[in-house]
Amino acid sequence: MVVVSNRLPVDYVGGDGADTRWKVSPGGLVTALEPVMRANEGAWVGWAGVADREFDPFEHDGISIVPVPLSEDELEEYYEGFSNDTLWPLYHDVIAPPSFHREWWDAYVRVNRRFAETAARVAAPGAVVWVQDYQLQLVPRMLRESRPDLVIGFFNHIPFPAYGIYSQLPWRRQVIDGLLGADVIGFQRAADAGNFSRAVRRLFGYKTRGTVLEVPGADGEMRHVVARHFPISIDAAAFEELARTPEVQQRAREIRRSLGDPEVVMLGVDRLDYTKGIRHRMKAFGELLRDERLSVQQATLVQVASPSRERVETYRQLRDEIELMVGRLNGDHAALGHPAITYLHHGYPRQEMAALYLAADVMLVTALRDGMNLVAKEYVASRYDDDGVLLLSEFTGASDELRQAVLVNPHDIEGLKDAMVEAVNMPPRERARRMRALRRRVIENDVANWSATFLETLTGVGKIPGGVSDALRGAVSRLAQTPRLLVALDFDGTLAPLVDRPEDARATDRARAAIERMSEHEDTRVALVSGRALDSLKEVASPPSPRC
């Protein structure tokens, strides 16, 4: 098994040659994959985090580490440029405008090829290769071309946008083609997988059947590619175990005392990124203080904003804006011993984070767009006491699973303010009921379950056998026994191929014949479902039977 990611699971500490020192990187991905890789003689391919420096492969805790070198120019163009100033804002619904530069794209292709060549060199015959995230979207196709014997998976940790947004990318076909080199393509949300499948249909016209895409292979044979959601998670047991330690509980009490022992501690934990909605939550909190719906003696906000991509101009501007907001709100509302906002612009070790989660009565996750947001799950896992309220943006992947949170639209400032007041005043019994439900979900679907589900699909179900499955035969048999049947059929993309000019769409002959046969049955009705105007649908569909 080979994992390919932008960064290695270890960080360079210092030294040279035999004295080179490394430490394990914190993070759920490393936690999930380490046991699997040790059991399968795994290798991890990635960048060591140091520009203009080459390191020899080495062993670390039973895993082969294979560093890929990056120059300072490549770091600027491939990583800071194309990955984080083109793809990141584009895939997050253009919250900030993406930049399109051909030089960045050239660097992206060059670096992706280097990663692919390294993975191909270290992978054994028939090995499983799992490529991670948006920085390496071209690697699956490159691997497929050089090593067709490999089983290739790809997981996209960030959102995949709707086609109307994605289509702005000048290299839209090349990126989709790169991803289609994989056998299984994983996304955080079902909506992301659907957006990807629609992009495939629009750009290439390939057939899709549910989560299965039919992709022509180099040998002329049809390949089946699975594109579906696999929501990532955390090591929930480890967070709970940490939160139960006396040291962490003592630290949580110290944190509350240092904040002036307010009735309610609100907490935000984010990378300093424009997608996280930090400005929105501060604006809402400031207005609640201004309108005296909350007071600093009653509630305080702790905002942890870990540094992120500080060489990118958009991020430098964001930091200035947020720090100005913090200064203004504290100047207007803070009292001696009672800060309105405690702003912390640095990261913390996991033990300190567990203490912060225990100290916080309300967790604020107000991302404008987020693939998942693991902070929400970390907070829930840490609350072994069944207390605390999670206020969660609808635009996070976590909101699909954590339905017992207080769900909000962070763009609706008035609604956000009302939700914050609701969280502050929620009765203890209601808090406990919600938190118990949230904890069941996080514990059942932890990071080990995520990796196992993806790898099972990749190495088992990922290879779709020919013919009709037994499950489908059984479903059709049960359907045939139904006394009365309504068959609802989508028109564009189902009965009729997708075309550039909507007025040119026509149902295929086979589709029309199938509708005729179904309409002949007295107990069956057929309906066409479409977003078109009725006149347009009548013109292009011209139902072949009055019973349709």
Side-chain angles (χ1 to χ4, degrees), residues 79-294:
Y79 182 70
E80 295 173 353
F82 195 80
S83 294
N84 291 323
D85 209 10
T86 300
L87 293 176
W88 179 269
L90 185 75
Y91 281 28
H92 287 83
D93 293 351
V94 197
I95 293 170
S99 302
F100 303 112
H101 297 294
R102 287 168 291 180
E103 297 83 0
W104 292 0
W105 166 252
D106 292 341
Y108 187 79
V109 174
R110 186 170 64 252
V111 171
N112 271 243
R113 188 165 300 283
R114 188 178 306 149
F115 274 81
E117 289 171 349
T118 304
R121 188 170 61 251
V122 302
V128 173
V129 180
W130 192 358
V131 185
Q132 305 288 332
D133 224 359
Y134 65 104
Q135 301 97 343
L136 301 173
Q137 293 176 106
L138 307 182
V139 169
R141 172 63 65 189
M142 294 172 175
L143 278 174
R144 176 73 51 198
E145 292 171 350
S146 64
R147 291 287 305 276
D149 61 299
L150 298 175
V151 178
I152 304 169
F154 180 91
F155 188 78
N156 194 59
H157 292 257
I158 68 173
F160 193 90
Y163 183 75
I165 293 175
Y166 177 76
S167 62
Q168 297 176 41
L169 184 66
W171 307 277
R172 57 195 183 186
R173 286 180 62 90
Q174 293 95 315
V175 169
I176 294 290
D177 185 60
L179 291 170
L180 289 174
D183 296 295
V184 175
I185 307 168
F187 299 90
Q188 299 280 25
R189 309 180 80 170
D192 298 327
N195 288 341
F196 175 78
S197 295
R198 281 186 285 274
V200 171
R201 292 197 298 268
R202 292 288 296 270
L203 293 171
F204 293 93
Y206 297 158
K207 292 181 180 178
T208 61
R209 294 182 290 111
T211 62
V212 180
L213 315 176
E214 296 185 0
V215 180
D219 55 3
E221 294 291 324
M222 197 64 69
R223 291 177 52 239
H224 290 107
V225 176
V226 175
R228 53 161 287 201
H229 69 297
F230 301 85
I232 198 170
S233 193
I234 61 167
D235 187 350
F239 268 95
E240 178 173 343
E241 182 180 354
L242 193 58
R244 286 182 178 274
T245 61
E247 296 83 6
V248 167
Q249 294 175 20
Q250 175 61 28
R251 178 59 185 150
R253 290 189 289 269
E254 292 173 358
I255 288 171
R256 292 188 70 95
R257 282 198 300 270
S258 70
L259 295 171
D261 281 324
E263 295 176 29
V264 176
V265 174
M266 294 182 168
L267 176 64
V269 177
D270 311 88
R271 281 190 312 102
L272 189 58
D273 192 289
Y274 49 78
T275 65
K276 301 301 184 182
I278 300 173
R279 288 172 294 195
H280 295 64
R281 82 179 61 135
M282 287 187 176
K283 180 177 177 62
F285 184 64
E287 290 187 9
L288 288 173
L289 295 177
R290 180 198 66 193
D291 299 340
E292 298 183 352
R293 296 177 68 184
L294 292 177

Side-chain angles (χ1 to χ4, degrees), residues 255-262 296-300 330 333-342:
I255 288 171
R256 292 188 70 95
R257 282 198 300 270
S258 70
L259 295 171
D261 281 324
V296 291
Q297 288 79 15
Q298 178 188 17
T300 188
N330 276 329
H333 303 290
L336 288 174
H338 296 285
I341 298 179
T342 299

Side-chain angles (χ1 to χ4, degrees), residues 33-47:
L33 297 183
E34 268 187 336
V36 182
M37 297 188 72
R38 277 196 295 270
N40 292 278
E41 299 180 351
W44 198 306
V45 174
W47 176 50

Side-chain angles (χ1 to χ4, degrees), residues 444-496:
E444 289 169 3
N445 296 280
D446 65 359
V447 70
N449 182 67
W450 166 76
S451 62
T453 303
F454 185 95
L455 290 171
E456 180 183 349
T457 305
L458 179 60
T459 57
V461 186
K463 300 260 184 194
I464 304 297
V468 179
S469 68
D470 291 341
L472 181 56
R473 287 183 190 278
V476 172
S477 177
R478 290 192 299 274
L479 193 64
Q481 298 171 19
T482 303
R484 300 185 64 192
L485 194 63
L486 169 65
V487 181
L489 298 167
D490 187 26
F491 182 75
D492 293 288
T494 301
L495 299 179

Side-chain angles (χ1 to χ4, degrees), residues 311-381:
R311 301 194 336 174
V312 179
E313 179 59 28
T314 308
Y315 288 80
R316 288 199 294 263
Q317 293 176 1
L318 176 65
R319 179 179 179 179
D320 291 343
E321 290 177 27
I322 288 177
E323 290 179 353
L324 281 171
M325 287 185 74
V326 170
R328 187 176 299 117
L329 287 172
N330 276 329
D332 289 345
H333 303 290
L336 288 174
H338 296 285
I341 298 179
T342 299
Y343 176 72
L344 306 164
H345 182 58
H346 45 84
Y348 286 101
R350 181 176 292 192
Q351 187 168 359
E352 183 73 359
M353 291 310 307
L356 280 165
Y357 293 145
L358 275 183
D361 302 286
V362 179
M363 184 79 217
L364 301 178
V365 178
T366 57
L368 308 180
R369 190 78 163 93
D370 211 334
M372 177 52 62
N373 195 285
L374 297 180
V375 163
K377 294 187 174 185
E378 290 174 0
Y379 178 72
V380 170

